[in-house]
């Protein structure tokens, strides 16, 4: 931890001294996490790269205010999340309310658990890896923006709950609860999709 | 079959990759096909999510960002003189008028007014101008940055 912290401090110092190479390194080290957030939260392909650029320009402009109270990547992810939220609010404010349609989810769970569960499987001979990926992508993308962002941060980016909490500003308990609900919904949607398409 | 594990318990086991443990839940999981099926579902969802990457930003992304920052700086420099030069022109005109008046008055009433006196007056005015420019530049840069980049960051 100490080593990485020192390395980050050196990098930030170099950037503040005006080194383009140091800033290029910062971008390359963090473009994956920024990309993950931007691509999950924004659906418009025209906006995505511009917003990602805006995020790094904000990072550059505000770097002198970074206090090393969190990892640099967490700070950058927080800027990414906030920027995307503001962009969404500006363009389609109702998009952020899409979690509401799952509000009576708790009742759904108890009801659903009474029903005998279907176990979905995608046999290799029927569904190829690329088909599997397409189906899963579709189902993930149909989830509320907040949920799919949390799933990405937790599963693809392997971030811890406290880091996700810092990035999104949500309490850790809420992050856990949303993740649980998102995975449960995803599983149910996949089951219903497979039944409908008669893949099983 | 009321003893089935809850969905939450199954997710936790799948997440912790805890199939090896001897807990009550694990013993149930190993002996119940229904729960085991749900567990397998979650395992495959977790694996798929882990590798669910759309990609993302282009190879030359860093260069594009740096280019944009440099363009913004050039734009700043280009926009900057319009305001400052106008101020300089006005200030210079005022200074010139004051100097002329000063020289005229001094020469007409006091023949001892020398070139040295004139240089002193000029130096004071030059220092005042530099201070004015410094404040103007700093103020402009701060306003410019705030307007464009600090609109929505609360960290």
């Amino acid at each position: 931890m100490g080593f990485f912290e020192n390395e980050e401090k050196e990098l930030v110092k170099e950037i503040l001294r005006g080194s383009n190479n140091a800033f290029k390194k910062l971008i390359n080290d963090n473009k994956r996490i920024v990309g993950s957030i931007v691509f999950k939260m924004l659906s418009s392909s025209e906006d995505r790269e511009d917003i990602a650029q805006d995020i790094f320009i904000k990072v550059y402009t505000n770097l002198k205010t970074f206090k090393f109270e969190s990892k640099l990547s967490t700070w950058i992810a927080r800027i990414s999340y906030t920027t995307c939220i503001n962009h969404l609010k500006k363009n389609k404010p109702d998009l952020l309310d899409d979690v509401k349609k799952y509000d009576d989810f708790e009742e759904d769970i108890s009801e659903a658990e009474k029903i005998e569960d279907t176990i979905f499987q995608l046999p290799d001979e029927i569904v190829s890896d690329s088909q599997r990926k397409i189906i899963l992508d579709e189902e993930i993308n149909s989830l509320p923006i907040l949920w799919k962002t949390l799933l990405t941060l937790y599963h693809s980016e392997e971030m811890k709950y406290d880091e996700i909490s810092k990035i999104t500003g949500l309490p850790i308990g809420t992050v856990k609860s949303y993740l649980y609900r998102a995975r449960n919904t995803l599983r149910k949607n996949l089951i219903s999709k497979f039944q409908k398409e008669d893949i099983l | 079959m009321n003893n089935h594990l809850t969905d939450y318990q199954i997710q936790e086991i799948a997440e912790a990759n805890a199939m090896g443990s001897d807990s009550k839940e694990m013993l149930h999981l190993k002996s119940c096909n229904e729960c085991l099926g749900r567990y397998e579902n979650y395992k495959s969802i977790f694996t798929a999510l882990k590798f669910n990457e759309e990609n993302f930003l282009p190879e030359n992304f860093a260069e594009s960002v740096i280019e944009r920052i440099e363009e913004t700086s050039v734009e700043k420099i280009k926009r900057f003189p319009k305001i400052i030069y106008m101020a300089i022109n006005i200030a210079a005109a005022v200074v010139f008028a004051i100097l002329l008046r000063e020289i005229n008055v001094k020469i007409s009433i006091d023949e001892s007014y020398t070139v040295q006196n004139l240089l002193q007056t000029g130096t004071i005015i030059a220092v005042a101008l530099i201070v004015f420019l410094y404040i103007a530049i700093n103020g402009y840069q701060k306003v410019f940055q705030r307007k464009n980049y600090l609109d929505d960051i609360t960290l």
Side-chain angles (χ1 to χ4, degrees):
Chain A
M1 185 65 188
F3 172 76
F4 291 115
E5 207 174 296
N6 283 340
E7 202 180 31
E8 280 188 349
K9 279 186 180 165
E10 276 308 307
L11 186 70
V12 169
K13 253 191 230 171
E14 283 297 306
I15 297 167
L16 292 176
R17 278 189 206 122
S19 163
N20 272 359
N21 281 339
F23 188 54
K24 202 183 279 184
K25 182 177 178 346
L26 178 141
I27 295 173
N28 286 328
D29 288 352
N30 292 283
K31 77 175 190 184
R32 185 193 146 97
I33 178 74
V34 171
S36 287
I37 294 171
V38 170
F39 277 66
K40 273 290 169 279
M41 294 186 75
L42 307 179
S43 52
S44 155
S45 52
E46 302 96 67
D47 289 344
R48 286 167 167 174
E49 202 179 325
D50 282 347
I51 297 287
Q53 286 192 5
D54 287 351
I55 289 164
F56 279 107
I57 292 172
K58 283 180 182 178
V59 167
Y60 184 78
T61 318
N62 291 282
L63 201 57
K64 55 180 176 289
T65 68
F66 177 56
K67 304 262 189 317
F68 296 94
E69 284 164 359
S70 64
K71 285 200 288 185
L72 187 58
S73 58
T74 308
W75 185 70
I76 294 172
R78 166 91 179 130
I79 293 178
S80 311
Y81 180 80
T82 315
T83 306
C84 290
I85 290 281
N86 286 334
H87 180 79
L88 288 169
K89 275 184 191 161
K90 219 185 293 173
N91 295 291
K92 286 183 181 167
D94 55 319
L95 269 179
L96 292 170
D97 293 336
D98 55 0
V99 173
K100 283 183 187 160
K101 70 180 174 190
Y102 296 95
D103 267 358
D104 44 1
F105 185 83
E106 294 306 328
E107 294 87 71
D108 286 355
I109 294 172
S110 49
E111 198 53 41
E113 287 191 348
K114 287 179 200 157
I115 304 164
E116 197 178 335
D117 243 312
T118 309
I119 298 162
F120 72 83
Q121 281 167 342
L122 290 172
D124 289 344
E125 62 273 19
I126 301 174
V127 181
S128 68
D129 277 351
S130 58
Q131 279 173 303
R132 202 189 308 256
K133 190 178 173 339
I134 291 167
I135 292 170
L136 190 82
D137 280 349
E138 273 174 13
E139 288 311 317
I140 292 173
N141 285 328
S142 71
L143 292 174
I145 291 170
L146 182 59
W147 286 8
K148 60 188 183 188
T149 307
L150 294 178
L151 287 173
T152 302
L153 293 176
Y154 189 77
H155 290 281
S156 304
E157 299 304 321
E158 298 181 337
M159 288 189 150
K160 297 190 171 69
Y161 292 124
D162 65 327
E163 278 181 286
I164 299 175
S165 165
K166 277 181 194 160
I167 292 167
T168 56
L170 296 169
I172 291 177
T174 309
V175 171
K176 282 185 184 174
S177 156
Y178 279 170
L179 275 169
Y180 163 68
R181 291 165 65 176
R183 291 183 297 227
N184 191 293
T185 307
L186 185 59
R187 177 173 166 271
K188 286 193 167 72
N189 291 350
L190 285 166
I191 289 170
S192 95
K193 179 144 197 158
F194 294 155
Q195 282 172 336
K196 206 187 290 177
E197 294 189 359
D198 206 17
I199 296 175
L200 280 171
Chain B
M1 289 294 275
N2 287 331
N3 293 330
H4 283 314
L5 297 176
T6 65
D7 215 62
Y8 189 80
Q9 285 173 311
I10 291 176
Q11 280 197 33
E12 284 211 312
I13 295 168
E15 196 182 328
N17 220 351
M19 269 305 260
S21 89
D22 286 334
S23 64
K24 198 173 71 183
E25 290 83 12
M26 284 314 307
L27 291 176
H28 173 85
L29 193 62
K30 283 172 187 167
S31 61
C32 172
N33 282 341
E34 198 178 315
C35 289
L36 191 62
R38 284 198 282 161
Y39 167 83
E40 293 297 341
N41 284 176
Y42 278 119
K43 283 302 285 180
S44 50
I45 286 175
F46 284 11
T47 308
L49 282 169
K50 189 171 177 177
F51 299 105
N52 179 250
E53 294 176 9
E54 299 172 60
N55 217 357
F56 284 159
L57 299 165
E59 279 288 303
N60 64 344
F61 178 75
E63 286 78 8
S64 314
V65 175
I66 289 169
E67 210 171 284
R68 227 181 104 183
I69 289 173
E70 282 167 355
E71 274 170 18
T72 312
S73 308
V74 170
E75 196 183 314
K76 226 190 273 182
I77 292 162
K78 274 185 193 162
R79 290 174 59 171
F80 162 79
K82 280 182 190 167
I83 302 164
I84 300 303
Y85 282 150
M86 227 162 42
I88 292 172
N89 287 339
I90 295 166
V94 171
V95 169
F96 190 65
I98 293 169
L99 268 177
L100 273 182
R101 193 173 173 276
E102 186 96 341
I103 293 164
N104 254 343
V105 172
K106 291 280 181 187
I107 289 173
S108 61
I109 59 168
D110 182 4
E111 284 183 359
S112 67
Y113 194 79
T114 60
V115 175
Q116 201 181 345
N117 294 127
L118 194 63
L119 281 175
Q120 276 174 357
T121 315
T123 310
I124 291 165
I125 292 166
V127 169
L129 252 181
I130 289 167
V131 172
F132 164 77
L133 283 177
Y134 178 79
I135 293 166
I137 291 165
N138 267 320
Y140 175 77
Q141 280 177 339
K142 275 177 191 159
V143 168
F144 183 85
Q145 285 173 1
R146 269 177 201 290
K147 197 175 158 209
N148 286 280
Y149 306 129
L150 297 178
D151 53 346
D152 54 10
I153 298 178
T154 44
L155 292 165

